[in-house]
């Protein structure tokens, strides 16, 4: 018996069957689906990263009194950066695992995956979907620390000179209720008022300044809760 | 149905695959067609004995039989079967090595006679080289380099075929071959093996 006869005899005696062609086709399709889904998730994450940066007052770094590195880390949307990177790698794994995926150069695979995610992310961010998506996450995932919560935490770092909350009364000073329902007297006569705000009751504001004594805060700059107000002309309170 | 190799002589690989899916006997023709080449390839990328290489080839063909529906007609069949044989051989060879059962064979056949002349195309090596030296150099090189050199210069595969066998992009293969050539000459120098030009 020669070797080919031996081979055929083994296959017949052990009744070795061929795998279905549909199994292979399905496997190939699944890897393509994995690639596209991962690219989309990467794009969604990227859109939220853009949204997070658009909401972040990056200029605050110059005001920070304590650890700057810790502060930078608190500003970064770490979860979304991590998600974006992980799904990019999954997308790359997906396309490399397709039947002909190995033929594409690594540069093409990495470049196109990143580029597609950036395009999807930018479109979602520009259309305002990133904001909605982030809110959906915040509402539905109990352990998720939303960007809004991160913002509140950042603007409650009174030791670093950041305070925020709702105006409950304004006369010579502002009486402000912070997010823990603690009341503060804010001296703002020398403060720069950013943005198109009237400092009316029930308005939510952010303040950069210093703690004077317990519950007394000397404001250097007041900003609207949304954005940093730099798109508007600023003015000194004394000039109002 | 009993089909002999002589009955398959003029039939292309791809048609034989189609027919094998209908009748297993055609699969024997494919085996016969590739047996010598692939045994030789197994011996080049491992240090199995001929008997062990035959066992490995049987195993690889059983795997090919199981996956015959996966064969992509955009590939050459030879690339596909080389890929399977390559993977099975490497897996089996690593198993042997992990068991500490390294069994170096002295190959007296002229398996390597093409290599030096192909390696230095510009200078055209044309002196007779001791085959065992080449074997020694290849064994000392990283696997990623020796495997491309063997495929390119001993199996005489082109870049696209090597790309399909090793599942790496053609550009990567070209880079690997260039580096492998340099690595080959470097190892040769380190071992004081000189190739007379």
């Amino acid at each position: 018996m020669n070797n080919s006869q031996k081979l055929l005899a083994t296959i017949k005696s052990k009744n070795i069957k061929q795998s279905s062609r549909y199994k292979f086709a399905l496997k190939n399709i699944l890897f393509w689906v994995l690639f596209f889904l991962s690219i989309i998730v990467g794009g969604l994450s990227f859109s939220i990263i853009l949204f997070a940066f658009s909401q972040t007052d990056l200029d605050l770094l110059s005001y920070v009194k304590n650890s700057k590195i810790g502060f930078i880390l608190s500003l970064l949307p770490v979860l979304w950066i991590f998600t974006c990177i992980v799904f990019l790698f999954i997308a790359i794994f997906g396309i490399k695992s397709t039947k002909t995926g190995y033929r594409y150069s690594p540069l093409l695979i990495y470049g196109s995956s990143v580029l597609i995610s950036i395009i999807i992310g930018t479109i979602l961010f520009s259309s305002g979907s990133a904001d909605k998506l982030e809110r959906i996450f915040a509402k539905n995932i109990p352990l998720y620390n939303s960007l809004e919560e991160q913002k509140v935490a950042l603007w409650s770092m009174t030791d670093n000179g950041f305070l925020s909350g709702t105006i409950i009364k304004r006369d010579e000073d502002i009486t402000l209720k912070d997010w823990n329902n603690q009341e503060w007297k804010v001296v703002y006569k020398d403060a720069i008022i950013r943005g198109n705000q009237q400092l009316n009751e029930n308005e939510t504001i952010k303040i950069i300044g210093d703690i004077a004594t317990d519950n007394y805060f000397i404001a250097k700059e007041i900003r609207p809760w949304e954005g940093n107000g730099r798109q508007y002309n600023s003015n000194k309170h004394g000039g109002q | 149905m009993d089909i002999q190799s002589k009955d398959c002589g003029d039939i292309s690989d791809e048609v034989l695959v189609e027919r094998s899916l209908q009748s297993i006997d055609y699969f024997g023709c494919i085996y016969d067609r590739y047996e010598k080449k692939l045994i030789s390839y197994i011996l080049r990328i491992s240090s199995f004995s001929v008997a062990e290489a035959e066992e490995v080839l049987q195993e690889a063909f059983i795997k090919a039989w199981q996956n015959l529906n996966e064969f992509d007609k955009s590939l050459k069949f030879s690339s596909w079967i080389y890929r399977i044989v390559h993977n099975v051989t490497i897996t089996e060879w690593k198993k042997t090595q992990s068991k500490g059962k390294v069994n170096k064979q002295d190959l007296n056949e002229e398996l390597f006679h093409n290599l030096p002349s192909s390696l230095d195309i510009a200078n055209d090596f044309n002196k007779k080289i001791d085959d065992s030296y080449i074997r020694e150099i290849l064994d000392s090189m990283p696997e990623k380099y020796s495997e491309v050199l063997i495929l390119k210069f001993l199996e005489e595969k082109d870049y696209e075929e090597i790309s399909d066998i090793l599942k790496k992009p053609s550009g990567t293969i070209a880079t690997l071959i260039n580096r492998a050539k340099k690595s080959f000459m470097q190892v040769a120098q380190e071992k004081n093996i000189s190739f007379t030009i």
Side-chain angles (χ1 to χ4, degrees):
Chain A
M1 186 188 274
N2 66 23
N3 285 333
S4 64
Q5 288 166 335
K6 189 178 151 195
L7 171 74
L8 298 190
T10 307
I11 293 172
K12 284 174 185 169
S13 66
K14 291 187 179 171
N15 197 21
I16 298 169
K17 299 282 180 202
Q18 290 159 336
S19 300
S20 152
R21 73 179 64 223
Y22 298 110
K23 181 188 146 192
F24 296 116
L26 185 68
K27 190 175 141 195
N28 197 41
I29 290 168
L30 282 178
F31 280 121
W32 277 110
V33 169
L34 180 70
F35 167 71
F36 283 114
L37 281 181
S38 305
I39 282 286
I40 290 170
V41 176
L44 291 175
S45 309
F46 186 73
S47 74
I48 297 177
I49 292 169
L50 287 180
F51 174 65
F53 278 113
S54 75
Q55 293 291 303
T56 305
D57 303 84
L58 293 169
D59 61 318
L60 292 186
L61 200 56
S62 57
Y63 296 96
V64 175
K65 298 183 179 82
N66 300 326
S67 162
K68 290 208 177 197
I69 293 172
F71 184 77
I72 291 170
L73 287 176
S74 73
L75 286 181
L76 291 176
V78 178
L79 173 71
W80 292 107
I81 292 172
F82 179 74
T83 307
C84 189
I85 292 170
V86 166
F87 276 90
L88 267 174
F89 277 108
I90 295 175
I92 289 163
F93 164 76
I95 195 165
K96 276 186 165 178
S97 305
T98 60
K99 209 183 229 181
T100 52
Y102 64 89
R103 289 183 185 169
Y104 310 121
S105 80
L107 192 67
L108 181 73
I109 293 178
Y110 293 118
S112 59
S113 304
V114 169
L115 191 68
I116 298 170
S117 287
I118 287 175
I119 292 170
I120 293 173
T122 308
I123 292 170
L124 288 173
F125 170 67
S126 308
S127 65
S129 304
D131 181 11
K132 286 176 196 156
L133 191 72
E134 210 275 333
R135 284 179 207 279
I136 291 170
F137 271 98
K139 196 175 165 186
N140 295 300
I141 302 177
L143 290 177
Y144 174 67
N145 197 14
S146 71
L147 294 176
E148 188 75 2
E149 286 169 312
Q150 286 180 38
K151 188 173 166 184
V152 166
L154 168 70
W155 284 97
S156 300
M157 292 180 181
T158 47
D159 287 346
N160 265 323
F162 306 131
L163 175 68
S164 61
T166 308
I167 298 172
I168 52 178
K169 194 175 147 195
R170 189 186 80 165
D171 40 41
E172 275 190 6
D173 300 330
I174 291 172
T175 308
L176 185 96
K177 189 190 277 182
D178 71 12
W179 304 99
N180 296 319
N181 289 325
Q182 186 180 341
E183 284 191 13
W184 294 81
K185 282 280 180 197
V186 179
V187 180
Y188 72 111
K189 63 180 167 46
D190 293 325
I192 298 167
I193 314 293
R194 301 268 187 208
N196 190 18
Q197 52 185 334
Q198 305 302 315
L199 303 181
N200 292 328
E201 284 177 19
N202 296 324
E203 213 173 293
T204 309
I205 54 170
K206 299 180 293 200
I207 307 165
I208 300 168
D210 294 299
I211 298 176
T213 55
D214 282 352
N215 297 343
Y216 260 87
F217 200 85
I218 312 291
K220 292 177 186 162
E221 189 174 323
I222 299 179
R223 298 178 177 187
W225 178 244
E226 298 296 340
N228 59 20
R230 284 184 181 268
Q231 65 272 39
Y232 300 99
N233 292 327
S234 57
N235 51 44
K236 284 261 183 186
H237 171 59
Q240 276 188 318
Chain B
M1 185 164 46
D2 189 18
I3 295 160
Q4 302 295 317
S5 278
K6 59 180 167 39
D7 303 325
C8 305
D10 295 332
I11 307 173
S12 72
D13 290 345
E14 289 69 23
V15 172
L16 277 180
V17 170
E18 283 298 321
R19 292 193 186 171
S20 297
L21 289 166
Q22 310 302 322
S23 162
I24 189 174
D25 293 303
Y26 283 100
F27 198 59
C29 288
I30 301 178
Y31 187 93
D32 289 334
R33 188 172 285 183
Y34 280 95
E35 184 180 17
K36 273 190 182 172
K37 275 187 193 174
L38 291 173
I39 291 282
S40 157
Y41 180 58
I42 293 168
L43 294 173
R44 281 167 176 163
I45 60 171
S46 69
S47 293
F48 282 130
S49 66
V50 174
E52 285 169 330
E54 282 175 357
E55 286 300 312
V56 170
L57 189 63
Q58 289 274 322
E59 193 185 327
F61 264 80
I62 288 173
K63 199 160 244 178
W65 170 255
Q66 287 172 310
N67 294 298
L68 207 55
N69 274 313
E70 193 190 22
F71 169 58
D72 177 358
K73 285 175 191 147
S74 68
L75 291 183
K76 276 186 174 177
F77 177 78
S78 68
S79 301
W80 188 72
I81 195 71
Y82 260 83
R83 182 195 294 171
I84 294 174
V85 170
H86 179 91
N87 292 341
V88 171
T89 306
I90 297 297
T91 307
E92 290 304 315
W93 179 239
K94 282 183 178 163
K95 273 187 209 166
T96 312
Q97 285 180 310
S98 68
K99 284 178 192 162
K101 188 191 153 199
V102 178
N103 181 22
K104 292 264 179 194
Q105 297 298 311
D106 288 330
L107 296 175
N108 294 322
E109 30 186 329
E110 290 191 7
L111 288 176
F112 303 105
H113 73 279
N114 290 326
L115 187 63
S117 59
S118 309
L119 260 179
D120 196 344
I121 294 159
N123 293 319
D124 189 19
F125 281 79
N126 51 20
K127 297 284 181 186
K128 192 178 176 188
I129 303 297
D130 189 337
D131 295 341
S132 63
Y133 285 161
I134 295 169
R135 178 76 201 216
E136 191 185 336
I137 296 170
L138 285 174
D139 282 346
S140 306
M141 291 171 70
E143 188 185 305
K144 63 178 178 176
Y145 290 154
S146 59
E147 67 186 11
V148 288
L149 285 184
I150 289 169
L151 283 167
K152 175 72 183 155
F153 298 113
L154 301 181
E155 302 296 326
E156 297 179 329
K157 301 288 179 192
D158 62 32
Y159 284 7
E160 200 177 326
E161 288 173 300
I162 301 173
S163 156
D164 290 332
I165 293 166
L166 299 179
K167 292 187 92 175
K168 287 178 180 160
S170 301
T172 306
I173 297 297
T175 309
L176 278 173
I177 288 174
N178 278 329
R179 288 182 188 162
K181 282 186 198 171
K182 286 177 191 160
S183 171
F184 183 89
M185 297 313 288
Q186 197 180 339
V187 175
Q189 274 182 348
E190 283 166 9
K191 290 183 176 289
N192 283 326
I193 300 170
S194 61
F195 297 109
T196 318
I197 299 168

